[in-house]
Amino acid sequence: MLTSSTSGSQVSQTMEEVRNRLREIVGASTNWRDHVQAMNERKALHTLLAKNQADLPPRKMRDSYIEVILPLGSQPEIREKYLNVHNSVRFGRILEDLDSLGVLICYTHTKHEAGQMSPLSIVTALVDKIGLWKQDIRPDCDIKFVGNVSWVGRTSMEVKMHMLQFHDGAYHPVLDATFVMVARDPENKRPAFVNPLILESPEEEKIFKEGEANKTRRVDSSRASLLKMAPTAEERNIVHDIFLNTLDPRTVSFRSRLLPPTAVWMEDAKLKGLEICHPQERNIFNRIFGGFLMRKAYELGWACAYSYGNSRPYVVAVDDIMFQKPVEIGSLLLLSAQVCYTEKNNAQVRVHSEVYDPATRVHHTTNVFHFTFMLENEIPSIVPRTYGESMLYLDGKRHFDSAMKENIAP
Ligand SMILES: CCCCCCCCCC(=O)SCCNC(=O)CCNC(=O)[C@H](O)C(C)(C)COP(=O)(O)OP(=O)(O)OC[C@H]1O[C@@H](n2cnc3c(N)ncnc32)[C@H](O)[C@@H]1OP(=O)(O)O
């Protein structure tokens, strides 16, 4: 994390100011009826796009460093929006704030000297990981977010953000987050170059190398995806052991399956939801705001874990949320949460979201979300019955192990 001493002259701003600033930077319409005209005005900014990355001035990490205050302690009137029934902070709201902040950090990195409005449309491509250090976030103490661009490709940027909360006279860490944002042209149709990054110290070189390693890891894990490759020998053994454990000893049949005691079939651990994507949830580019999708998916995932385990779930880690396709305003968004792996009192929940067009009956996956929850009480083991469910189970185990191994969980 860059510290304030290396952060130049950045002054803390509030989350409300972050959103207003984003609207100014892209010239977003305030009224939905003006959105076509606002988009037409943005098209003209096309001429400001760089033809090559080398034409753009390089930036330092501290150039994009931002501090934002969420004044839950000093401005009680904003608490309501953030409050959950347990008198703690709604994590879904924090996901929304991280998304807005990540985008502003990238606009600060790519700041166009010529004018106020940016020709770039910066979208969230991936939430690489979020690790939480605290189970409960207090609703009555100020929160501070800090972050900066930590790695740059040709058209993509990795952003590292940290959230801290003020209590007992100091700010204490709450979570660390890594997002990947992609720059597109003003109409969000083609990729656009972003400013290169200059590294100023061995510490920054290390952070940048981690960004490179993260990119390689993402490519490797995408290649080894169970949707493309067979499971490893060790994983095949796990699946076969589960299969053997569920055979009925009284019959000599591959089809007669019995649920072990204190276990639940995977098909019985789902929760589904529908969202109609109204203009209120639009982002600055008149698509559905990524943070809104994350909040809705998180809350359904949380409810799924709660229904499954019958005690309060605490989020421990979020990883690998890929935004595969933008969600248009007016879409019918179908969300489906599934407990796909369990270990002791931990549940790994996958939320799949897709848009459905009733006119054509075509479905398109827009996102897949992975959440790791720890529940207050012991939970039943989840048991896959079909081959497809077994792959979901192994994928859930991979996400769970990665969350634990990287020590992003407490
Ligand atoms: C009003 C107040 C509120 C303000 C809030 C503002 C927040 C606004 C932010 C948002 O809400 S954005 C909405 C949520 N996100 C989306 O809807 C994005 C949906 N996904 C897409 O549009 C495309 O999948 C995406 C543009 C992300 C990628 O498209 P492509 O797969 O065609 O990309 P391409 O192959 O051209 O690669 C472009 C770059 O992206 C990188 N990339 C693509 N997918 C990636 C991925 N999954 N992970 C990491 N990097 C990725 C890729 O490596 C490359 O980087 P480099 O040029 O640096 O090499």
Side-chain angles (χ1 to χ4, degrees):
M1 183 194 332
L2 294 180
T3 56
S4 338
S5 56
T6 59
S7 65
S9 57
Q10 292 288 353
V11 208
S12 296
Q13 48 194 317
T14 64
M15 210 28 97
E16 194 51 38
E17 287 163 345
V18 166
R19 299 217 166 88
N20 291 339
R21 183 81 196 98
L22 283 171
R23 284 196 192 94
E24 275 168 29
I25 290 172
V26 296
S29 62
T30 319
N31 296 317
W32 173 239
R33 62 174 180 273
D34 302 332
H35 76 279
V36 175
Q37 191 197 335
M39 193 45 88
N40 283 338
E41 281 167 19
R42 268 186 70 65
K43 273 187 206 168
L45 299 171
H46 207 273
T47 52
L48 298 175
L49 290 176
K51 302 270 180 301
N52 294 296
Q53 190 174 27
D55 296 341
L56 292 165
R59 304 273 193 242
K60 298 165 185 154
M61 281 193 194
R62 61 190 152 122
D63 291 335
S64 60
Y65 180 87
I66 290 180
E67 283 189 8
V68 174
I69 298 292
L70 178 62
L72 293 179
S74 42
Q75 285 180 26
E77 64 278 11
I78 64 164
R79 262 180 225 161
E80 195 80 352
K81 180 179 162 191
Y82 285 85
L83 198 61
N84 69 22
V85 68
H86 303 288
N87 198 33
S88 170
V89 167
R90 288 171 68 180
F91 184 66
R93 290 281 185 218
I94 299 297
L95 290 175
E96 290 182 322
D97 288 348
L98 286 170
D99 197 33
S100 303
L101 176 64
V103 175
L104 184 62
I105 288 172
C106 290
Y107 275 118
T108 311
H109 174 84
T110 55
K111 192 164 184 275
H112 210 272
E113 304 300 350
Q116 181 95 319
M117 268 168 70
S118 170
L120 301 177
S121 302
I122 294 177
V123 299
T124 315
L126 179 81
V127 177
D128 187 69
K129 58 189 171 221
I130 302 176
L132 281 100
W133 302 107
K134 280 187 72 177
Q135 284 176 353
D136 252 333
I137 309 172
R138 294 170 61 161
D140 53 356
C141 298
D142 283 0
I143 283 176
K144 180 159 77 173
F145 295 93
V146 300
N148 59 278
V149 169
S150 50
W151 174 87
V152 160
R154 282 172 355 116
T155 66
S156 61
M157 291 160 277
E158 185 193 77
V159 178
K160 282 205 186 296
M161 291 172 280
H162 309 274
M163 178 178 141
L164 309 105
Q165 188 159 43
F166 191 84
H167 55 87
D168 302 317
Y171 274 104
H172 300 270
V174 176
L175 65 78
D176 300 329
T178 308
F179 282 40
V180 178
M181 308 291 185
V182 171
R184 316 276 292 168
D185 69 8
E187 292 175 85
N188 196 0
K189 287 192 172 153
R190 273 177 289 276
F193 291 114
V194 299
N195 303 57
L197 192 61
I198 306 176
L199 307 173
E200 294 190 292
S201 67
E203 187 201 345
E204 290 190 1
E205 277 166 24
K206 185 165 166 270
I207 295 170
F208 189 85
K209 274 197 190 130
E210 275 169 24
E212 290 282 347
N214 287 341
K215 184 165 182 172
T216 313
R217 170 178 51 78
R218 285 192 286 267
V219 172
D220 290 350
S221 66
S222 151
R223 274 202 202 110
S225 158
L226 292 164
L227 291 168
K228 296 182 191 154
M229 271 181 75
T232 63
E234 192 190 333
E235 288 174 330
R236 287 198 294 269
N237 284 339
I238 293 173
V239 169
H240 205 71
D241 283 349
I242 293 174
F243 174 70
L244 295 179
N245 242 335
T246 56
L247 285 182
D248 184 348
R250 292 166 305 176
T251 62
V252 188
S253 163
F254 287 113
R255 296 184 60 178
S256 179
R257 311 274 300 270
L258 278 183
L259 190 62
T262 68
V264 171
W265 290 121
M266 210 182 233
E267 67 197 25
D268 298 325
K270 289 183 188 164
L271 203 59
K272 298 196 179 224
L274 165 80
E275 290 298 328
I276 299 176
C277 298
H278 296 293
Q280 185 190 6
E281 311 304 344
R282 71 188 184 276
N283 67 15
I284 38 183
F285 317 114
N286 296 317
R287 298 280 184 44
I288 289 295
F289 171 39
F292 169 78
L293 301 174
M294 286 197 267
R295 172 161 65 83
K296 286 293 167 186
Y298 168 76
E299 290 183 351
L300 187 73
W302 182 88
C304 182
Y306 196 1
S307 313
Y308 180 81
N310 311 117
S311 68
R312 181 179 170 191
Y314 295 89
V315 62
V316 171
V318 178
D319 82 318
D320 206 16
I321 300 179
M322 214 191 275
F323 289 86
Q324 295 170 4
K325 267 188 189 305
V327 177
E328 303 293 338
I329 310 295
S331 300
L332 299 187
L333 185 75
L334 304 175
L335 294 162
S336 173
Q338 165 84 67
V339 175
C340 54
Y341 180 73
T342 51
E343 204 174 295
K344 295 186 190 135
N345 58 335
N346 298 297
Q348 185 69 35
V349 178
R350 179 182 193 269
V351 182
H352 178 261
S353 79
E354 59 184 21
V355 288
Y356 169 62
D357 183 346
T360 60
R361 302 192 175 210
V362 173
H363 291 245
H364 278 296
T365 296
T366 56
N367 301 72
V368 180
F369 304 82
H370 303 275
F371 302 109
T372 310
F373 292 103
M374 189 189 76
L375 283 88
E376 274 175 342
N377 300 336
E378 282 285 305
I379 56 172
S381 313
I382 197 87
V383 182
R385 205 201 300 244
T386 64
Y387 188 78
E389 286 176 355
S390 301
M391 295 307 102
L392 265 181
Y393 181 90
L394 292 178
D395 188 59
K397 178 170 169 28
R398 286 183 184 184
H399 283 285
F400 180 78
D401 290 347
S402 133
M404 295 299 161
K405 190 181 97 202
E406 290 186 24
N407 201 19
I408 57 176

